[in-house]
Amino acid sequence: MRKRKYYLYLTAEERRYIFNALLSFRNKLIAQGRYTDAVDEIMIKFAK
C-alpha cells in the first residue's frame, strides 16, 4: 500500500514565515548542542 502525498499551496509570505520558524528552531538546536539533521532535511525539501 502506497502512502498518500499531500501538497500545500502557500503564499510567499507563508513560505517565508515557515522557513524563518524552521531556521529559528535549527538555531535553538545548535545552541543546545543537539543534532539538526531532521530540520536540515525539511528545510531542503521546503526550499524546492
Side-chain angles (χ1 to χ4, degrees):
M1 183 176 213
R2 292 176 48 169
K3 290 185 178 181
R4 296 179 81 184
K5 289 188 177 184
Y6 296 96
Y7 295 93
L8 292 175
Y9 297 98
L10 304 170
T11 64
E13 183 179 352
E14 291 168 333
R15 290 176 56 87
R16 188 170 41 252
Y17 182 75
I18 292 171
F19 194 81
N20 286 337
L22 287 170
L23 187 61
S24 175
F25 183 58
R26 182 178 181 270
N27 290 338
K28 189 183 300 185
L29 290 175
I30 290 171
Q32 294 174 357
R34 297 172 61 191
Y35 293 110
T36 62
D37 298 340
V39 179
D40 293 338
E41 288 180 27
I42 293 171
M43 290 176 72
I44 290 169
K45 287 182 180 183
F46 193 74
K48 289 185 179 180

